Amino acid sequence: MGYESAWLSYKENHTLKIPWNGSKIYADTWGKTIEAAVTELQRAVKEICGMDMGITGQEEEAGILLKKEQDNALGEEGYKIQCRDGRLTVTSQGEKGLLYGSFACIRMLQTQEEFSAEEKTEKPSAPLRMLNHWDNMDGSIERGYSGNSFFFEDNKILVNERTRDYARLAASVGINGVVINNVNVKDRATWLIDEVYQKELQQMSEIFETYGIQLFLSLNFAAPMELGNLDSADPCKEAVQQWWNDKMQELYTRLPNLGGFLVKADSEGRPGPFTYGRTHADGANMLADAVAPYHGKIIWRCFVYNCQQDWRDRKTDRARSGYDNFRPLDGQFRENVILQVKNGPMDFQVREPVSPLFGGMEKTNEMLEVQIAQEYTGQQRHVCYLIPMFQEVLKFRTYCQEDRDTVEDIVTGKTMGNTNCGIAAVVNTGNDENWTGHDLAAANFFGFGRLCFNTSLSAEEIAKEWIVCTFGHDREVQEKILQMLMMSWKTYEKYTSPLGIGWMVNPNYHYGPNVDGYEYDRWGTYHRADHLGMGVCRGKKGTGYAQQYREPNASMYENVQTCPEELLLFFHYVPYTYQLKTGKTMIQHIYDTHFEGAEEAAYMADLWDSLEGKIETKVFERVQKRLAHQKEHAKEWRDQINSYFYRKSMIPDEKHRTIY
């Protein structure tokens, strides 16, 4: 299957004034990453400007210079760009920084940003900027909406030109770590740490390393039993510890660039230390000790909850589980352990509060986990630009100290002064021709990388960059796609689940609408609707979840009057007649937002239709089909949600619209 170049598809622009003299590139150091940077510059300048750039060993002959210099302020990944006296110079302390700086120069050419004699300096905000693939070795992708895996097929590892082009895409937006396999490690995936896959993993690791990316693997905690024929995986047993020590020595000898491992344990049926009466710290530290001699990291997911909940039980609360499991262990984890925490306490809903583990853990490394695979936000059949949501999460104040207390501060190392921290995304790629199924979903991949690298960028700035890099410079195209992206998250929220209640989708495959899909199930995701109102009591008189936050957040969420209304039903059971700050009743808000959302989905489809002839036909038609589906599916959401709550409440719509 062929594939496209996404935002690295360079548009010819021979009218662009080249800001340097000379047609050669000079690098004062050489290695495979520098070679990749030079190749990227040559390709982009040729395709955009029509100029062939050669390579010279003489600095005075060059128009573009890549130079390493000692600059602790920039570090190995930061860079400076400066155009002076007819020369474009990129400097960094490390080869990665020169690669990122080269991609930044290319982006400036694409967007026609002016090169200046003043230094343009950029240093990554987050130390770790990671993509988590949920790819299975049979080629399927769990929660994948863009075709099959381009890493695996029929229990074989694929290493080819697409592997390299994937690495180029990731590096172009500053990604420096990739987990290639699903966190639910089963069957042949357990064998990825065995020598049977040595050759292919070495090849992949070398390609990744060329583009400044470390390879990570998801790990099966029960591997000593499944691969080593031990009778236990108890992390406190000497035989188990020795098995892991031997395995890591063997593995790192073959894969010296291996970054470490992502572990899902004691969650949704996956094995872990609980089986042996041990803690998460016991399990994580055992693995951390095994990889420490090789500077490896153990990234331990905090997505842990009792998935056997009885729906009749109103005290057990899935939202509490992350904090309840991990907060008592604060300070007990090794320095090379990082807890990976989902942005919210549930599961990537269109609206959730920020997890109280951020700010709750004062002595433990943490990473933020978000999802750009749109599992609950339209599955890449709906356009839903998620960068505004991620920015809201990053700006959330935890009050763990007087300043530097936001989620951004915590995961970028400003709060604790640590470097084992960062941001990870469950990625949205597959082997579809356009990489992400929905062409507009590529904005989430691009946007995630850019946001991790520079958290000061706005969602709008990032969207504008992506649109120009992908579609070119037509003003109407830019304005209309920007409008679509910037409205899409709130639009999706309007016609799906209201006021933070979440879910309302079909079990297993998580596509909606299905209001009661999970209502009487074991997964702990309830809306508690009856004929008087709905919502979950998570205050002191309910599950007590609100008290997991620090003050003043705990009191804010506890009080129905001060609770942010977009999260009202997450924290409170509210009568349908409850009056919101807009003056509307809660039930009228549900009716209105669902009608508005469906209208906005139709408007987005019309905006796209108006661009016919201005966008490549194949791309135009692909997106047009997805938007047509979204338009009709939004109506289905509108009608099912409104009809359900009308039948529950028997309160009519004040505007007398059709509700079934």
Side-chain angles (χ1 to χ4, degrees):
M1 180 185 289
Y3 58 92
E4 297 162 0
S5 299
W7 55 87
L8 297 183
S9 176
Y10 303 127
K11 308 293 186 292
E12 183 179 14
N13 186 358
H14 290 178
T15 64
L16 185 65
K17 188 177 185 302
I18 296 172
W20 62 85
N21 300 324
S23 58
K24 293 184 178 179
I25 301 173
Y26 166 82
D28 68 357
T29 187
W30 206 257
K32 57 187 180 182
T33 301
I34 297 297
E35 184 178 354
V38 170
T39 300
E40 293 296 335
L41 286 166
Q42 288 176 312
R43 177 176 178 171
V45 172
K46 173 67 174 176
E47 294 183 15
I48 296 171
C49 308
M51 172 185 278
D52 291 308
M53 297 292 292
I55 300 172
T56 180
Q58 304 299 316
E59 184 172 343
E60 62 272 11
E61 294 180 356
I64 300 178
L65 298 91
L66 304 181
K67 302 180 71 173
K68 285 182 74 172
E69 67 176 39
Q70 190 66 28
D71 188 339
N72 294 330
L74 290 177
E76 293 290 316
E77 295 185 315
Y79 59 81
K80 289 188 294 190
I81 297 172
Q82 188 176 40
C83 196
R84 180 182 292 172
D85 300 327
R87 287 182 173 184
L88 175 62
T89 304
V90 182
T91 58
S92 177
Q93 190 170 311
E95 291 189 27
K96 283 189 191 181
L98 292 174
L99 177 67
Y100 297 145
S102 297
F103 274 121
C105 288
I106 293 168
R107 201 160 46 242
M108 291 170 74
L109 289 174
Q110 288 177 285
T111 60
Q112 298 182 0
E113 181 181 342
E114 184 178 350
F115 290 85
S116 170
E118 294 184 9
E119 292 179 350
K120 176 186 174 76
T121 303
E122 197 162 23
K123 182 181 179 181
S125 299
L128 288 171
R129 307 173 301 280
M130 299 187 66
L131 297 176
N132 292 181
H133 286 259
W134 286 359
D135 295 32
N136 300 312
M137 291 202 66
D138 63 2
S140 64
I141 302 176
E142 185 171 342
R143 312 307 179 192
Y145 312 107
S146 311
N148 290 325
S149 174
F150 47 74
F151 288 143
F152 306 111
E153 184 178 70
D154 297 330
N155 292 322
K156 296 182 178 64
I157 298 176
L158 306 176
V159 184
N160 49 38
E161 199 57 34
R162 187 157 193 168
T163 314
R164 185 173 298 276
D165 282 332
Y166 164 79
R168 292 178 59 237
L169 285 172
S172 75
V173 291
I175 298 299
N176 66 358
V178 171
V179 185
I180 61 171
N181 63 307
N182 191 357
V183 291
N184 293 317
V185 184
K186 302 174 184 177
D187 305 321
R188 289 299 292 178
T190 301
W191 290 79
L192 284 172
I193 61 174
D194 193 77
E195 63 183 353
V196 65
Y197 291 111
Q198 171 180 336
K199 179 183 176 182
E200 294 85 354
L201 286 177
Q202 282 177 335
Q203 293 171 342
M204 186 178 291
S205 178
E206 287 171 5
I207 291 172
F208 282 6
E209 187 176 13
T210 297
Y211 288 93
I213 298 167
Q214 281 196 303
L215 170 69
F216 285 74
L217 298 173
S218 291
L219 198 66
N220 184 345
F221 193 82
M225 302 170 69
E226 296 185 26
L227 298 184
N229 296 315
L230 299 186
D231 61 3
S232 168
D234 185 344
C236 295
K237 270 196 172 182
E238 186 175 341
V240 174
Q241 295 170 357
Q242 189 60 49
W243 187 90
W244 281 114
N245 290 340
D246 293 344
K247 178 58 68 176
M248 292 308 163
Q249 182 181 30
E250 167 196 321
L251 190 57
Y252 274 93
T253 300
R254 299 195 305 264
L255 298 170
N257 186 48
L258 188 66
F261 300 92
L262 177 64
V263 185
K264 177 179 179 179
D266 293 310
S267 177
E268 298 183 321
R270 300 311 301 147
F274 282 9
T275 303
Y276 310 99
R278 312 302 187 185
T279 69
H280 288 288
D282 292 329
N285 290 342
M286 181 261 301
L287 293 170
D289 289 343
V291 302
Y294 319 102
H295 308 290
K297 298 177 177 66
I298 297 299
I299 301 173
W300 193 272
R301 293 181 87 231
C302 294
F303 187 53
V304 174
Y305 65 96
N306 179 7
C307 57
Q308 303 296 322
Q309 184 172 336
D310 187 335
W311 61 269
R312 301 167 186 83
D313 175 6
R314 289 178 175 255
K315 282 294 183 182
T316 301
D317 186 0
R318 172 171 164 178
R320 290 186 56 107
S321 59
Y323 189 95
D324 286 345
N325 274 282
F326 287 93
R327 177 64 181 85
L329 302 176
D330 189 25
Q332 297 182 30
F333 292 93
R334 299 284 192 269
E335 179 53 34
N336 60 331
V337 173
I338 309 170
L339 299 188
Q340 185 164 293
V341 183
K342 288 188 178 185
N343 60 275
M346 298 297 273
D347 194 11
F348 302 130
Q349 299 303 295
V350 70
R351 178 76 67 175
E352 290 185 54
V354 170
S355 170
L357 273 174
F358 293 114
M361 306 286 278
E362 299 176 89
K363 305 169 186 174
T364 305
N365 299 318
E366 289 181 299
M367 285 186 73
L368 168 65
E369 179 182 341
V370 297
Q371 189 189 55
I372 55 178
Q374 295 170 227
E375 181 178 354
Y376 296 97
T377 52
Q379 299 192 354
Q380 288 150 246
R381 286 181 266 182
H382 296 227
V383 57
C384 190
Y385 180 53
L386 295 168
I387 307 307
M389 178 205 290
F390 302 163
Q391 286 186 313
E392 285 193 11
V393 173
L394 289 169
K395 299 304 179 189
F396 179 79
R397 289 199 65 187
T398 66
Y399 297 97
C400 62
Q401 55 186 46
E402 287 187 13
D403 56 5
R404 299 194 173 200
D405 68 327
T406 65
V407 173
E408 177 186 336
D409 292 329
I410 292 166
V411 301
T412 59
K414 294 174 186 173
T415 301
M416 295 195 299
N418 56 330
T419 56
N420 283 338
C421 52
I423 311 175
V426 181
V427 72
N428 59 353
T429 53
N431 69 356
D432 277 359
E433 186 177 15
N434 64 356
W435 295 89
T436 55
H438 198 312
D439 288 78
L440 300 189
N444 286 325
F445 184 130
F446 178 95
F448 170 76
R450 292 291 289 131
L451 183 64
C452 292
F453 203 90
N454 186 348
T455 53
S456 69
L457 291 173
S458 71
E460 185 169 341
E461 287 174 314
I462 292 170
K464 286 178 178 177
E465 275 188 357
W466 175 78
I467 293 165
V468 173
C469 291
T470 305
F471 295 102
H473 289 277
D474 184 285
R475 182 69 63 183
E476 183 184 4
V477 170
Q478 291 176 34
E479 290 176 354
K480 289 184 175 178
I481 296 179
L482 179 64
Q483 186 178 2
M484 292 168 65
L485 291 178
M486 294 306 295
M487 69 188 293
S488 60
W489 172 44
K490 296 290 181 69
T491 293
Y492 188 85
E493 182 180 22
K494 283 180 180 180
Y495 63 73
T496 54
S497 48
L499 300 172
I501 199 64
W503 308 94
M504 298 186 176
V505 293
N506 289 290
N508 301 318
Y509 65 94
H510 296 168
Y511 205 56
N514 185 343
V515 184
D516 284 337
Y518 278 103
E519 188 59 20
Y520 304 100
D521 214 325
R522 60 179 180 152
W523 299 100
T525 53
Y526 313 122
H527 56 68
R528 309 288 193 198
D530 57 24
H531 67 294
L532 297 176
M534 71 164 164
V536 181
C537 293
R538 289 192 162 103
K540 293 176 182 176
K541 295 181 180 179
T543 71
Y545 166 77
Q547 303 312 305
Q548 292 184 335
Y549 291 89
R550 295 177 182 272
E551 293 293 354
N553 289 333
S555 294
M556 174 184 70
Y557 290 136
E558 177 75 26
N559 187 333
V560 69
Q561 297 296 324
T562 58
C563 180
E565 289 187 339
E566 64 269 20
L567 293 170
L568 183 64
L569 301 181
F570 188 95
F571 283 98
H572 297 278
Y573 174 89
V574 173
Y576 295 117
T577 54
Y578 178 83
Q579 191 173 71
L580 303 178
K581 293 181 176 64
T582 59
K584 295 180 183 179
T585 60
M586 186 258 280
I587 188 66
Q588 192 61 41
H589 172 86
I590 291 174
Y591 296 154
D592 287 350
T593 53
H594 284 77
F595 278 107
E596 288 168 12
E599 289 168 5
E600 289 173 10
Y603 176 65
M604 286 194 290
D606 290 342
L607 281 175
W608 185 261
D609 286 344
S610 71
L611 298 177
E612 187 169 11
K614 293 189 171 227
I615 290 170
E616 182 186 353
T617 301
K618 179 170 62 175
V619 175
F620 177 82
E621 291 178 351
R622 278 194 310 234
V623 176
Q624 187 179 49
K625 288 177 183 177
R626 303 254 169 167
L627 288 168
H629 167 76
Q630 181 174 1
K631 175 181 175 180
E632 294 306 311
H633 201 220
K635 291 179 185 176
E636 191 66 21
W637 269 100
R638 175 198 69 193
D639 291 343
Q640 286 203 32
I641 299 294
N642 282 346
S643 296
Y644 180 94
F645 287 107
Y646 169 66
R647 294 177 186 184
K648 281 278 188 185
S649 68
M650 292 309 296
I651 298 173
D653 171 31
E654 293 174 357
K655 299 178 182 178
H656 308 294
R657 293 163 292 197
T658 301
I659 297 178
Y660 298 91

